[in-house]
Each structure stands twice: as C-alpha cells, then as structure tokens.
Amino acid sequence: MALLKKINQLLLLLLVLTVCAILYNKVHQVPLALRNETVDLESPEEMEEEIPVVICAAAGRMGAAVAAISSIYSNTEANVLFYIVGLKTTIPHIRKWIENSKLKEIKFKVVEFNPMVLKGKIRQDASRPELLQPLNFVRFYLPLLIQKHEKVIYLDDDVIVQGDIQELYDTKLAPGHAAAFSDDCDLPSTHEMVRSVGMQNTYMGFLDYRKQAIRDLGISPSTCSFNPGVIVANMSEWKHQRITKQLEKWMQRNVEENLYSSTLGGGVATSPMLIVFHGKYSSINPMWHIRHLGWSPDARYSEQFLQEAKLLHWNGRYKPWDYPSVHTDLWENWFIPDPSGKFKLTRPDS
C-alpha cells in the first residue's frame, strides 16, 4: 500500500508539472508570424543579390546622372544600390534632387570624391578641359569608394539604360580579368557611324606612337580600342592586380612625357585604361553599349536599331541636355526636372 501511494504521488507530481509546462508555454509563446520576423533570416528582398551601380554627379551636368538613374530604376526589378559620387560642393544638390522627386524610392549612397588623390597626375590640356574634371577619374578608384561588393557596374553619366540592368550585371568575367568593356570594333551596325564622323576605334587614335614609351609597350597601333564608359568590374581582381596603382603610374608618366592627350581619340581617362587592360579584359554584349550618339549633331542611328539597344551613350561633345544634339527624345523620356530649378535643359526655344 505504501508503495502504491508513493507511485500515485509521483504520477500526480508529473501531471502537475505537465500542466504547469503547458500553461507556461501558452503565456510565453510568441505567435508563429512574429517568431518568423524575429528569426535571424533575411527577407526575400534582402536575400536578393545587391547590384551596385556607380554614377558620378558633376556640377553643370547633374541632370545627366538623374536621367541615367531614372532609366535604370524604371527598367528593372533587381535590387539596385546606386553609389552617387560627387565633390563636396555638389553633394547637397544631388541629394535634394533625389529626395524631392520620384527617385526618393531608390536605394542610394552619396560618396564624396576627394580630388586631392589626383594631385600631380593630370597633365593640363586646354583642348577639352571638361575631360580633366576630377570625377572623370572616379572609375580608376572603384575599390577605394566601394568597399563591400565583389562585382560593380560603373556608368558614365551621359547614358540611359533601356534594358534590365540585371542582364549587364550578369556579364561573365573570365578568370584573371578585373573588368569587362565593350570593344570599339564589336558591332557592325555602328561602323558606318564611326566612319561618317571620323572617330577613332584603334589604339592609334588614343596613344602617341611617336613616343618611345608607347612603342615599347609592343601594342599594335591597329589594335581595336574599347570604351570605359560602361564597366563591369571584379573588385578582388582589381585589388589583386593593383589596377589603380598601374593607372596612376601611367597618369604620372603622361604628365612627364605627354604620351596621350584629349586632342587624340577620346580623352585622358581612356588612354591609361587601354594600356593597363590591354589583352586582359572580358567583353560586354555590344547592345549594352551603343555609343557615339554625342559625336555629331547630325549623324543618327536608325530608330529601329536604337529601340533594340539596351544602353545608349552620348559620348562626345554633343550632349542630350544641350543643343545641338541628336536623339534627345530618348534621353528626355527619363529626365526628371530639378526641383530647385538650378539645372535647365538647353533647347532651341529656351
């Protein structure tokens, strides 16, 4: 009897403990929906790979950056993070423009570029002084400005994007390549345009082959050039190969020896990249860099060809926010007026 009594007491104790445990869980249990929010898991949007896009916002042409950003944002569902690079004096303007327009929904970071890094590295050239502006060299310093990303897209400000930027980001870079560019000889449809306005598409048009330092490179002057206005870059390879240091070396040599200038093909930022990346870059789909729209106020592509293009680039003197220029309607579709009224389009009737 005594043993039976002890067993009953033990069973009663276990029953009480079980009831207490159930009541405790009822009181303290977090609802499933709330627990899902507190688990250390990212939402689908956060898990989606971030696509970093670097664009400069320069004084006097800030509307270009706005139109480029607007076109990218409107044509993709991808998780894009814009790095908008400016000088200290221009940053407040571009920030207000974005925050007080329909672009306020974009994800962006404003990055200040310190022009002191260029001290002693730029040879003064009066023929096209706009090409000597500090922000023109931001592309040389991508790893210093963008820290946490393995792959980065850099775009000149005078572009609009008509395709899904995810497609450009998915460009495959071969092992050992720090960047991908679009060759100047890669798209037959543009050859007539190149010939009609006398543009250069070989190294001869960018480097001074009268100089021994250039001849010593062993690069044929007839080698096809590329345009660095659209870049897909691998940051690990860029740092491993010390690309920035290599570019700076050739900038300094140009100061001392005048190896290239803006009187040649396309300005002072392209030439050192042609040297450093010769034979060591991957290719971008040609339709992702249809350029030369700014080389002539008269020469035009066919409308059908432009509609098929993924990215349009007004490289050259004739910009779509100025007059004269061509295909301005395609650019203006994406332009967002400056809320402050400081930036205005130049048009025949303005």
Side-chain angles (χ1 to χ4, degrees), residues 190-318:
T190 66
H191 291 176
E192 184 179 346
M193 170 76 83
V194 171
R195 287 192 296 269
S196 69
V197 297
M199 286 178 292
Q200 297 289 342
N201 61 0
T202 66
Y203 273 56
M204 174 66 84
F206 294 86
L207 305 177
D208 189 348
Y209 275 84
R210 296 171 299 179
K211 301 297 172 65
Q212 188 63 44
I214 298 300
R215 294 198 299 273
D216 287 345
L217 291 169
I219 302 173
S220 169
S222 62
T223 301
C224 187
S225 54
F226 60 79
N227 185 296
V230 177
I231 306 172
V232 181
N234 180 312
M235 293 292 93
S236 293
E237 279 295 336
W238 192 293
K239 288 182 280 191
H240 175 69
Q241 297 180 32
R242 297 169 62 83
I243 296 294
T244 297
K245 287 295 183 185
Q246 292 188 59
L247 292 167
E248 287 183 327
K249 181 189 82 170
W250 284 102
M251 292 170 73
Q252 289 167 332
R253 289 198 65 174
N254 184 57
V255 170
E256 299 162 2
E257 304 173 50
N258 194 20
L259 303 176
Y260 52 84
S261 77
S262 61
T263 56
L264 296 171
V268 294
T270 299
S271 300
M273 299 196 84
L274 290 177
I275 295 171
V276 170
F277 284 101
H278 174 253
K280 295 182 292 186
Y281 66 91
S282 298
S283 295
I284 288 172
N285 180 335
M287 296 304 288
W288 269 99
H289 195 176
I290 301 304
R291 47 203 178 278
H292 313 318
L293 278 75
W295 273 88
S296 167
D298 304 309
R300 290 176 171 268
Y301 289 113
S302 73
E303 292 302 320
Q304 180 181 350
F305 177 66
L306 291 177
Q307 291 300 323
E308 295 171 355
K310 304 289 188 178
L311 180 148
L312 303 177
H313 187 185
W314 279 261
N315 58 313
R317 297 175 184 269
Y318 302 99

Side-chain angles (χ1 to χ4, degrees), residues 145-164:
L145 299 168
I146 313 302
Q147 302 290 336
K148 68 174 185 173
H149 301 282
E150 175 69 12
K151 196 175 186 182
V152 172
I153 294 173
Y154 167 88
L155 300 177
D156 276 353
D157 61 355
D158 50 355
V159 308
I160 60 162
V161 172
Q162 301 185 137
D164 188 337

Side-chain angles (χ1 to χ4, degrees), residues 7-303:
I7 291 174
N8 288 336
Q9 288 175 339
L10 182 59
L11 290 174
L12 181 61
L13 178 61
L14 288 173
L15 179 61
V16 170
L17 289 174
T18 301
V19 172
C20 289
I22 292 172
L23 290 174
Y24 180 87
N25 285 335
K26 289 286 185 181
V27 172
H28 294 278
Q29 185 178 35
V30 179
L32 182 60
L34 294 180
R35 281 194 284 120
N36 284 344
E37 291 180 5
T38 59
V39 172
D40 189 22
L41 291 175
E42 292 178 310
S43 68
E45 182 179 348
E46 291 170 331
M47 291 174 68
E48 184 182 3
E49 186 173 11
E50 214 166 44
I51 298 179
V53 177
V54 179
I55 296 179
C56 294
R61 50 190 288 164
M62 208 165 289
V66 169
I69 293 168
S70 171
S71 69
I72 295 166
Y73 181 66
S74 300
N75 286 305
T76 188
E77 296 294 327
N79 183 21
V80 180
L81 173 59
F82 293 98
Y83 284 86
I84 303 170
V85 186
L87 302 181
K88 187 175 183 179
T89 54
T90 62
I91 284 176
H93 187 185
I94 189 65
R95 186 185 293 278
K96 288 181 180 178
W97 197 330
I98 290 172
E99 292 176 348
N100 291 282
S101 72
K102 64 181 182 181
L103 291 180
K104 61 187 176 183
E105 301 298 328
I106 70 170
K107 289 171 57 179
F108 74 101
K109 293 182 180 180
V110 176
V111 181
E112 180 183 343
F113 182 67
N114 185 354
M116 289 304 295
V117 300
L118 300 172
K119 188 175 181 180
K121 300 182 182 74
I122 301 178
R123 185 183 184 87
Q124 295 306 307
D125 190 329
S127 59
R128 289 193 66 186
E130 73 274 14
L131 297 176
L132 303 179
Q133 296 302 314
L135 294 181
N136 203 29
F137 300 92
V138 161
R139 71 198 87 192
F140 291 8
Y141 297 94
L142 293 177
L144 301 181
L145 299 168
I146 313 302
Q147 302 290 336
K148 68 174 185 173
H149 301 282
E150 175 69 12
K151 196 175 186 182
V152 172
I153 294 173
Y154 167 88
L155 300 177
D156 276 353
D157 61 355
D158 50 355
V159 308
I160 60 162
V161 172
Q162 301 185 137
D164 188 337
I165 199 72
Q166 179 75 55
E167 185 180 330
L168 179 61
Y169 185 75
D170 289 340
T171 298
K172 302 296 184 185
L173 273 68
H177 286 179
F181 306 99
S182 186
D183 281 326
D184 285 331
C185 309
D186 60 6
L187 194 60
S189 304
T190 66
H191 291 176
E192 184 179 346
M193 170 76 83
V194 171
R195 287 192 296 269
S196 69
V197 297
M199 286 178 292
Q200 297 289 342
N201 61 0
T202 66
Y203 273 56
M204 174 66 84
F206 294 86
L207 305 177
D208 189 348
Y209 275 84
R210 296 171 299 179
K211 301 297 172 65
Q212 188 63 44
I214 298 300
R215 294 198 299 273
D216 287 345
L217 291 169
I219 302 173
S220 169
S222 62
T223 301
C224 187
S225 54
F226 60 79
N227 185 296
V230 177
I231 306 172
V232 181
N234 180 312
M235 293 292 93
S236 293
E237 279 295 336
W238 192 293
K239 288 182 280 191
H240 175 69
Q241 297 180 32
R242 297 169 62 83
I243 296 294
T244 297
K245 287 295 183 185
Q246 292 188 59
L247 292 167
E248 287 183 327
K249 181 189 82 170
W250 284 102
M251 292 170 73
Q252 289 167 332
R253 289 198 65 174
N254 184 57
V255 170
E256 299 162 2
E257 304 173 50
N258 194 20
L259 303 176
Y260 52 84
S261 77
S262 61
T263 56
L264 296 171
V268 294
T270 299
S271 300
M273 299 196 84
L274 290 177
I275 295 171
V276 170
F277 284 101
H278 174 253
K280 295 182 292 186
Y281 66 91
S282 298
S283 295
I284 288 172
N285 180 335
M287 296 304 288
W288 269 99
H289 195 176
I290 301 304
R291 47 203 178 278
H292 313 318
L293 278 75
W295 273 88
S296 167
D298 304 309
R300 290 176 171 268
Y301 289 113
S302 73
E303 292 302 320

